[in-house]
Amino acid sequence: SEPPEWLLVPTQLSASHACRYGAARAMAVAGPMTMVGVPVTLGSAAGLISMLEEEQVALQTTALRSLNKVVDTHWAEVAGSISVIEAMYEDEFFAQRHLAALLASKVFYHLGELNDALTYALRAGDLFDVTEPGAFVQTLLAKAIDEYIEQRSKPEAEQSIDERLVAVVERMFERCLADAQFHQAIGIALETRRLDKLEEAVARSEDVADSLAYATRVTQTLVSSREFRQLVLRVLVRLYESVGVEPHYLNMCQCLMFLDDADGVAAILTTLIQGGEEEHLLAYQIAFSLYENEIQAFLNRVNEKLAPAAPAAATATAA
C-alpha cells in the first residue's frame, strides 16, 4: 500500500535535506534500526529538533509527528526548543499547529508545568485523546476536571469557562458512557455539578435501579453543598418516578427526608398502606428507617399527614 502523504519526500530538496528527511522518515515509521533490523532506543532527538526550523512544511510536520512519539524519553532536549514549538502553534497559517500544541503540552507536562500543559492540550483539540492510556492523559484529565469544578463552583456571573475545556469534559462523559462506566460518569456529573449529565448517565445505564441507588448514596454522603444536594435529590426523586422501573420507595423516602418533604413521604406511605401485604411490610420498613434517623420534628409532620386516615379507616370498619 502507498505510504501516507506526510511520509513522502518533498520535491526540490537539497541533497543534505533529502538525506535528513529520509532518516527522519525511517524513525517515524519504525524507529532507529540496528545492523540486524532490531529497533533500538533513539540516542538523541537533535536531528528531529533541528528540522523544526526548516522552511519546508513537510519537514516540520514529520519532525512534530516523530517528536510526539519520542518526547517521553527526550523531553529535556525538546524543552530547549519549546519557544519554537509555541511559535509554530501561534502561526495561524501553519496546517499542523494543533500537532505543535500537543507536543508543547507533553513538554510542559514533563517540566511539571501542569497549567501550561493543560492550556496546550486544550489548544490541541481532538488530537488530545481522552481515551489514550498513560500518565500524561490521566494527569491532565484530572487537572481539567479540577479546573472545570472550580469554575462551576463560582456564581454564574463570575464563571469563565473555556469552551475547549467544556469539550474535553464532554468527551470524558461520552467515554465513560461508551465504556459502560456509569458509576464513574455519575461521580463526575456530581463533581462538576452537571445535572443534565447525571440524568443522561442514569437513563443510559444498563441497570437503572443500581445507578439510581448509587447516585442517591453518593449524594447523601459526599455532596457537601446543601443547596446543590437538594437540587440533586429533587432530580433523583423525579427519576425514581419516571424512568420506567419499579420505584424504590425506601430510597425515595430517604431523599424526601433529606429534602424535609413530609408531604411526599406521607403520600408514599399512604399509597403503600392501601396496597397488599408486601406493600404493608415495605411501609413498616420505611417507617423504621425514618425512626432510626431520629428527626422527631420531621416524623411528627409525617404523622400529622397520616393521622386523618385513622378515623376514616375506623368509620369504614364500623360500617
Side-chain angles (χ1 to χ4, degrees), residues 69-133:
K69 295 178 181 178
V70 302
V71 66
D72 289 340
T73 53
H74 293 79
W75 60 268
E77 286 184 271
V78 182
S81 297
I82 189 63
S83 60
V84 175
I85 299 168
E86 289 180 291
M88 295 174 81
Y89 168 76
E90 296 296 337
D91 183 357
E92 296 183 358
F93 297 100
F94 182 52
Q96 298 297 331
R97 59 196 302 261
H98 294 120
L99 188 59
L102 181 62
L103 179 58
S105 176
K106 291 179 179 179
V107 173
F108 281 121
Y109 163 74
H110 285 291
L111 289 170
E113 301 290 343
L114 294 186
N115 288 331
D116 289 333
L118 178 59
T119 297
Y120 276 98
L122 297 179
R123 291 173 175 175
D126 291 340
L127 292 184
F128 179 61
D129 185 0
V130 299
T131 66
E132 185 178 310

Side-chain angles (χ1 to χ4, degrees), residues 170 174 177 182 195-205:
E170 295 280 350
E174 191 55 41
L177 296 176
F182 301 108
L195 295 179
D196 59 327
K197 291 301 179 182
L198 172 62
E199 293 191 51
E200 182 180 354
V202 171
R204 292 174 59 177
S205 173

Side-chain angles (χ1 to χ4, degrees), residues 116-319:
D116 289 333
L118 178 59
T119 297
Y120 276 98
L122 297 179
R123 291 173 175 175
D126 291 340
L127 292 184
F128 179 61
D129 185 0
V130 299
T131 66
E132 185 178 310
F136 165 68
V137 170
Q138 297 306 314
T139 300
L140 291 193
L141 285 180
K143 179 70 175 174
I145 287 291
D146 288 343
E147 177 67 22
Y148 188 73
I149 291 172
E150 181 180 349
Q151 290 295 328
R152 292 278 295 177
S153 299
K154 296 179 180 179
E156 188 171 350
E158 298 178 14
Q159 291 182 10
S160 178
I161 305 178
D162 191 324
E163 292 183 2
R164 294 169 297 189
L165 180 60
V166 176
V168 168
V169 174
E170 295 280 350
R171 298 209 306 267
M172 286 180 61
F173 276 119
E174 191 55 41
R175 184 192 73 175
C176 290
L177 296 176
D179 293 344
Q181 299 294 324
F182 301 108
H183 285 188
Q184 184 177 358
I186 289 170
I188 296 174
L190 291 174
E191 279 193 298
T192 57
R193 302 191 174 198
R194 290 289 300 272
L195 295 179
D196 59 327
K197 291 301 179 182
L198 172 62
E199 293 191 51
E200 182 180 354
V202 171
R204 292 174 59 177
S205 173
E206 297 171 349
D207 187 340
V208 173
D210 174 71
S211 292
L212 276 172
Y214 176 78
T216 301
R217 184 168 64 254
V218 171
T219 301
Q220 293 173 351
T221 57
L222 298 180
V223 176
S224 57
S225 168
R226 182 177 183 275
E227 181 181 358
F228 179 64
R229 183 170 62 246
Q230 289 190 320
L231 289 174
V232 176
L233 291 172
R234 285 293 179 194
V235 169
L236 292 176
V237 170
R238 177 165 54 79
L239 289 174
Y240 274 119
E241 295 173 338
S242 64
V243 291
V245 297
E246 184 177 350
H248 195 299
Y249 288 115
L250 180 58
N251 283 350
M252 287 178 65
C253 286
Q254 288 178 342
C255 291
L256 292 169
M257 182 187 68
F258 275 96
L259 289 167
D260 198 33
D261 187 346
D263 289 339
V265 172
I268 290 175
L269 290 174
T270 300
T271 299
L272 293 174
I273 291 170
Q274 294 172 350
E277 182 178 355
E278 289 189 7
E279 285 77 12
H280 291 172
L281 292 174
L282 180 55
Y284 277 116
Q285 182 182 359
I286 291 172
F288 281 121
S289 177
L290 294 173
Y291 177 77
E292 288 175 355
N293 285 278
E294 299 181 350
I295 306 176
Q296 192 59 47
F298 179 78
L299 295 178
N300 289 339
R301 291 202 305 278
V302 173
N303 188 53
E304 289 172 2
K305 303 296 180 182
L306 293 172
T315 302
T317 302

